[in-house]
Amino acid sequence: MGGSGSKSRGFWPFAGSGIGSDPANGGNEQTLSRLRGSRSCTPFVFTRRSSLYYDEDGDLAHEFYEETFVMKNGRKRAKLKKIQKNLIPQGMVKLDHPRIHVDFPVVLCEV
């Protein structure tokens, strides 16, 4: 769990604007202002990696199955076999609405 965070890949765009007091900001102010500094980046995500795949026929789906027939006790049974070869990932997909980055260091709602 938590593999979607960017810390696991070694890149964290909000470095230095995390938790704790910062002597440069006086320690009493939100460190969101540091994002506007030298490493200006947006807290929004506009694209994501798709979980869909194309098969050899050009169909798009999460999973593909092939129907196979097995003879068992003289009877013909149908079984579904999952296809895992020759699948091409869809790639990056543009989101309809921007999302907030999972590693954004500011509390949005306090209960």
Side-chain angles (χ1 to χ4, degrees):
M1 289 273 214
S4 64
S6 60
K7 282 185 187 178
S8 63
R9 289 184 219 103
F11 174 72
W12 201 47
F14 308 110
S17 62
I19 304 167
S21 63
D22 189 6
N25 286 340
N28 58 0
E29 182 177 310
Q30 281 285 350
T31 57
L32 182 61
S33 62
R34 292 187 91 202
L35 288 176
R36 297 186 204 112
S38 63
R39 295 180 77 188
S40 67
C41 58
T42 177
F44 299 108
V45 177
F46 298 100
T47 60
R48 69 170 176 84
R49 187 179 7 232
S50 175
S51 60
L52 299 173
Y53 294 92
Y54 289 107
D55 69 345
E56 298 164 336
D57 300 329
D59 296 327
L60 185 65
H62 287 283
E63 298 174 334
F64 290 95
Y65 292 93
E66 176 182 34
E67 187 176 17
T68 59
F69 295 101
V70 179
M71 292 294 287
K72 189 172 183 181
N73 296 333
R75 292 178 50 186
K76 192 175 181 182
R77 277 187 66 196
K79 246 184 149 175
L80 291 177
K81 180 182 172 186
K82 188 173 182 179
I83 298 175
Q84 295 180 337
K85 294 184 180 180
N86 297 329
L87 297 178
I88 302 166
Q90 186 182 15
M92 297 301 283
V93 176
K94 186 176 179 189
L95 296 170
D96 295 333
H97 307 285
R99 310 303 202 273
I100 295 179
H101 196 277
V102 68
D103 291 333
F104 192 61
V106 175
V107 176
L108 295 176
C109 177
E110 190 172 328
V111 180

